[in-house]
Amino acid sequence: MLPILSLIVLIPILFSAVTFLTKTREQARISALVGTLITLVLTLYMYFSFDSTTAAMQFEEMANWIPSLGISYHLGVDGVSMPLILLNAIVIPLLIIYTWDDVRSAPNRFYGLILAMQGAVIGVFVALDFFIFYIFWELTLVPLFFMVNIWGGSNKKHAAIKFFIYTHVASLVMLLGIFALYFNAWSITGSPNMDMAHLISQFQFFESGILRDAIFLALLFGFIVKLPVVPFHSWLPDAYSEAPTAGSVLFILLKIGGYGLFRVMLPMLPFTATPSLMITIMGALGAVSILYGAFLALAQKDLKRMIAYSSISHMGYVTLGCAGLVSLSVSGAMFQQFSHGLIMSIMFMSCGVIQTATGTRIINELGGLAQKMPKLTVIMVLGFMASLGLPGLTGFIAEFLVLTFSFINVPTYVIIALLAIVITAAYHLWALQRAMFGTFNEKLGEIVDISSYQTLSMGIIALLVLYFGLNPSPVLDMMITNSEKIVSLMAVMGV
């Protein structure tokens, strides 16, 4: 059987190395595009062969690696990871097309880092051994750090270091949680084993309730900082706004924080000493992030920082949906990750085009761009409408499921989150009206619409936002299958 999971991880990494060795911009971008297209073809083959009716792992690959430490080469996908792999496989080649004519400085390194990032992120999604999982988790830091530090804006060094410190410290805390899980399970079974499912299954047998809660919180901290949620969010606006457009999109595709909640935290939740307290923590963090992130976005004058803060608000739905502990609320949280990746890609790409064309991202300095950039306006309006939750687009499906079904178990936090809906609509519509409509600001000079490459890449993503908004079943069905399995465990444990 074809080791398809190994291939979709290794191919981007191998092509990353090839791209680094290229000599011209033409060679670099062709090498990068070929590598990502091969990954896309393999991912589509896997997606169309995927059985959405089962929550079991599929396309599994397993081999002993370091038996003395219980470390194995164990890969697999299910309805939690398959949509996120698909998201990356689709958006990354479109991102390369989007930047086709833009990259002038060190294109071999620029495209090489994009491919390295893709391989590392997919590695996180397919890893079923904690050792491999953590290796790929840490590897995702490297391309993003250099992407911001080399091609970022005027405050790039500060943003890159702040991002690295925040997320690396969180990763170290998570690593302590993994070690505690590993050594305590070893003491129970008498043999080492780093398999994720095995360690999670042994978690319930730890005698100390304080230890179980401490491990849970250590792992949760690692995931929510990467997500991020308030109050661990301050690295995100700087990193997103200082990164080049491609870097901002790569940050958006970094869905490993939310993925960790579904893969690790929810299966462990029933076995904590105080599950109701842990649910309260997740629900409160989600609701506060939704509301506070919306207020922060409303206060921004910089279009890109507004989009960055809106991302914090939208990621709050992931944590809130998890706290809802209903199959459809958890499915909505999963779908929010997929939807958010598509929507924010459009929004950051639109912002990048505007900054390149006008030389500014300050909303009050723009105005009337729809007269000069009609193609961008159509795509950008669709992205903004999806972000504010307009019915018929992907953002509505995700937020509707989270808010409606989380209300069953955590109504207080849903009510808090509902307060953000009006604010979310306000800052989206205000930014659109000021930047794209009204009287054209003649000080901006001559402006041309988006290029054919940008139209192609952004247009395809926009169509996907519309398609999955009208027909979410192709990815939502597999999410529901897995969320039902997760929630059934909660019911058995009486949570």
Side-chain angles (χ1 to χ4, degrees):
M1 182 178 176
L2 185 70
I4 193 166
L5 298 183
S6 295
L7 289 174
I8 63 172
V9 174
L10 291 175
I11 286 174
I13 293 174
L14 291 173
F15 271 87
S16 172
V18 172
T19 304
F20 271 111
L21 296 174
T22 57
K23 301 298 184 182
T24 66
R25 185 179 70 159
E26 187 72 16
Q27 292 173 350
R29 60 191 187 184
I30 290 176
S31 172
L33 184 60
V34 170
T36 56
L37 288 178
I38 294 173
T39 304
L40 174 60
V41 170
L42 291 173
T43 302
L44 289 175
Y45 167 78
M46 186 168 65
Y47 169 76
F48 287 114
S49 303
F50 190 88
D51 183 1
S52 297
T53 63
T54 177
M57 286 293 167
Q58 301 178 47
F59 304 99
E60 277 192 274
E61 301 172 25
M62 189 168 185
N64 287 329
W65 186 12
I66 312 175
S68 60
L69 297 177
I71 298 172
S72 62
Y73 182 77
H74 190 190
L75 309 179
V77 293
D78 60 3
V80 179
S81 50
M82 185 69 245
L84 296 177
I85 297 171
L86 181 66
L87 172 67
N88 274 268
I90 291 173
V91 174
I92 293 295
L94 295 176
L95 178 62
I96 290 171
I97 293 172
Y98 171 88
T99 61
W100 199 256
D101 285 333
D102 291 345
V103 183
R104 305 294 179 190
S105 172
N108 59 333
R109 288 184 288 167
F110 183 87
Y111 289 116
L113 289 173
I114 291 177
L115 286 164
M117 177 67 183
Q118 183 180 33
V121 170
I122 294 176
V124 172
F125 295 147
V126 300
L128 297 180
D129 182 280
F130 260 123
F131 184 77
I132 298 175
F133 175 86
Y134 191 77
I135 288 175
F136 283 120
W137 178 280
E138 285 290 82
L139 284 177
T140 61
L141 292 176
V142 180
L144 289 172
F145 173 80
F146 285 110
M147 184 68 73
V148 176
N149 199 47
I150 297 174
W151 293 276
S154 59
N155 203 26
K156 60 186 178 183
K157 295 189 182 299
H158 169 77
I161 292 173
K162 188 175 182 180
F163 154 71
F164 191 88
I165 291 175
Y166 262 74
T167 55
H168 187 56
V169 169
S171 298
L172 292 177
V173 174
M174 183 179 73
L175 182 61
L176 293 176
I178 294 172
F179 280 153
L181 195 60
Y182 170 67
F183 285 115
N184 280 277
W186 188 347
S187 67
I188 292 172
T189 63
S191 60
N193 195 330
M194 286 290 279
D195 186 80
M196 295 175 76
H198 169 78
L199 292 181
I200 292 171
S201 69
Q202 294 302 310
F203 179 68
Q204 60 185 304
F205 300 116
F206 297 177
E207 292 184 5
S208 171
I210 295 176
L211 174 65
R212 277 181 277 139
D213 281 354
I215 292 173
F216 185 89
L217 289 173
L219 294 171
L220 180 64
F221 181 73
F223 295 133
I224 62 176
V225 171
K226 189 78 81 171
L227 196 59
V229 301
V230 175
F232 311 110
H233 66 285
S234 64
W235 64 267
L236 183 146
D238 291 337
Y240 279 37
S241 58
E242 291 301 320
T245 300
S248 300
V249 174
L250 290 179
F251 273 115
I252 288 299
L253 298 179
L254 191 70
K255 299 301 182 187
I256 56 180
Y259 172 75
L261 297 182
F262 307 122
R263 175 65 68 220
V264 180
M265 305 318 302
L266 289 184
M268 290 175 63
L269 178 62
F271 308 120
T272 57
T274 54
S276 60
L277 174 62
M278 300 306 160
I279 293 169
T280 298
I281 290 172
M282 290 195 294
L285 289 173
V288 170
S289 295
I290 293 169
L291 184 59
Y292 188 60
F295 272 117
L296 289 174
L298 183 64
Q300 301 308 306
K301 298 179 180 180
D302 184 314
L303 182 61
K304 197 171 186 181
R305 288 186 73 85
M306 187 208 79
I307 296 171
Y309 278 113
S310 76
S311 182
I312 296 171
S313 180
H314 287 103
M315 283 294 94
Y317 286 95
V318 177
T319 315
L320 180 61
C322 289
L325 291 181
V326 177
S327 172
L328 287 174
S329 77
V330 176
S331 300
M334 293 179 184
F335 194 76
Q336 176 72 343
Q337 290 238 103
F338 181 83
S339 167
H340 182 261
L342 295 174
I343 295 170
M344 288 294 146
S345 294
I346 292 177
M347 293 179 71
F348 277 118
M349 286 178 176
S350 298
C351 185
V353 169
I354 290 173
Q355 183 176 7
T356 301
T358 66
T360 183
R361 299 189 314 230
I362 304 304
I363 297 171
N364 288 332
E365 295 177 359
L366 301 172
L369 294 183
Q371 302 172 29
K372 305 291 184 177
M373 310 176 83
K375 290 188 292 184
L376 171 67
T377 302
V378 171
I379 296 171
M380 187 173 173
V381 167
L382 185 141
F384 271 62
M385 292 301 104
S387 183
L388 65 82
L390 187 73
L393 302 173
T394 57
F396 172 78
I397 300 293
E399 294 175 14
F400 174 80
L401 290 175
V402 169
L403 294 174
T404 301
F405 293 97
S406 294
F407 189 82
I408 297 171
N409 289 327
V410 286
T412 302
Y413 302 124
V414 171
I415 292 171
I416 294 172
L418 285 171
L419 299 175
I421 292 179
V422 174
I423 302 168
T424 301
Y427 68 74
H428 279 96
L429 295 176
W430 175 80
L432 266 182
Q433 190 273 329
R434 293 302 299 267
M436 306 307 294
F437 301 103
T439 305
F440 176 69
N441 184 358
E442 297 295 341
K443 294 180 181 179
L444 297 176
E446 290 296 322
I447 295 175
V448 295
D449 208 351
I450 52 178
S451 68
S452 56
Y453 292 118
Q454 292 167 336
T455 303
L456 175 63
S457 58
M458 296 172 67
I460 291 174
I461 299 174
L463 289 174
L464 290 174
V465 169
L466 179 60
Y467 172 75
F468 286 112
L470 296 173
N471 181 32
S473 295
V475 292
L476 187 59
D477 286 351
M478 62 181 72
M479 295 172 178
I480 292 174
T481 301
N482 277 83
S483 64
E484 287 175 346
K485 178 184 176 182
I486 294 171
V487 172
S488 66
L489 179 61
M490 308 292 174
V492 170
M493 295 303 298
V495 176

